[in-house]
């Protein structure tokens, strides 16, 4: 796949061109060219790589499993052009925008697509702020925050 950018006409000496619309985490090969009445002349081919971007991740849904467990679903739709070092879910009772500095359930590494997990060991009858996350060499991205409740605990009433 090759593309051509015409920079001008009747130029002598050096010239500069900006390349736009390049993909993240990609390698490109470039060389200059000039056309005159004798034909086409090409410069030396060089290569360069673009940096990776942060991943694109979405929090899909969450549901109550029992008094101490919730189930959550997420999706990585784009890894940002680099392998994921980690992905999963972050959650908190008090922080409405949890990050990897809060509680983390790491699901795995290097995925593109849907993923899910159960988060257990939680408090009964409690609302948790939860969102999916994904991390690559460029940084960490988060999905939207959702609120998921654990079930009410079973209480035994003793009548004397």
């Amino acid at each position: 796949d090759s593309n051509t950018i015409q920079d001008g006409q009747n130029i002598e000496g050096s010239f500069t061109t900006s390349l736009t619309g390049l993909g993240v985490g990609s390698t490109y090969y470039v060389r200059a060219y000039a056309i005159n009445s004798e034909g086409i002349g090409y410069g030396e081919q060089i290569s360069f790589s673009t940096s990776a971007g942060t991943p694109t991740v979405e929090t899909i849904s969450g549901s109550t499993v029992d008094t101490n467990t919730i189930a959550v679903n997420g999706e990585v739709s784009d890894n940002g052009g680099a392998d994921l070092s980690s992905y999963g879910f972050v959650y908190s009772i008090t922080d409405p925008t949890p990050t990897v500095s809060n509680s983390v359930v790491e699901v795995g590494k290097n995925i593109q697509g849907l993923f899910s997990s159960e988060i257990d060991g939680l408090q009964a009858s409690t609302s948790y702020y939860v969102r999916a996350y994904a991390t690559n060499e460029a940084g960490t991205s988060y999905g939207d925050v959702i609120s998921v409740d654990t079930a009410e605990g079973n209480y035994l009433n003793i009548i004397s």
Side-chain angles (χ1 to χ4, degrees), residues 10-148:
N10 297 323
I11 298 172
E12 282 190 37
S14 64
F15 58 93
T16 302
T17 293
S18 295
L19 303 175
T20 61
L22 303 177
V24 295
S26 300
T27 300
Y28 291 91
Y29 300 91
V30 180
R31 64 183 174 165
Y33 75 96
I35 303 173
N36 66 16
S37 62
E38 299 294 317
I40 301 174
Y42 293 98
E44 181 182 341
Q45 177 175 288
I46 61 168
S47 66
F48 66 92
S49 297
T50 57
S51 300
T54 56
T56 303
V57 63
E58 183 180 351
T59 310
I60 303 292
S61 63
S63 61
T64 304
V65 174
D66 60 31
T67 56
N68 304 105
T69 309
I70 59 175
V72 286
N73 302 292
E75 180 177 15
V76 174
S77 58
D78 185 346
N79 67 5
D83 290 341
L84 298 181
S85 57
S86 177
Y87 69 89
F89 299 94
V90 293
Y91 63 96
S92 175
I93 296 173
T94 57
D95 188 346
T97 54
T99 68
V100 292
S101 298
N102 297 106
S103 297
V104 177
V105 173
E106 183 179 342
V107 175
K109 301 174 186 201
N110 291 332
I111 189 175
Q112 192 148 327
L114 297 171
F115 61 95
S116 61
S117 182
E118 287 191 350
I119 303 173
D120 58 11
L122 304 176
Q123 298 175 25
S125 304
T126 304
S127 289
Y128 285 85
Y129 299 108
V130 182
R131 63 180 172 169
Y133 81 93
T135 302
N136 69 9
E137 66 187 37
T140 300
S141 296
Y142 298 94
D144 290 337
V145 176
I146 60 173
S147 179
V148 185

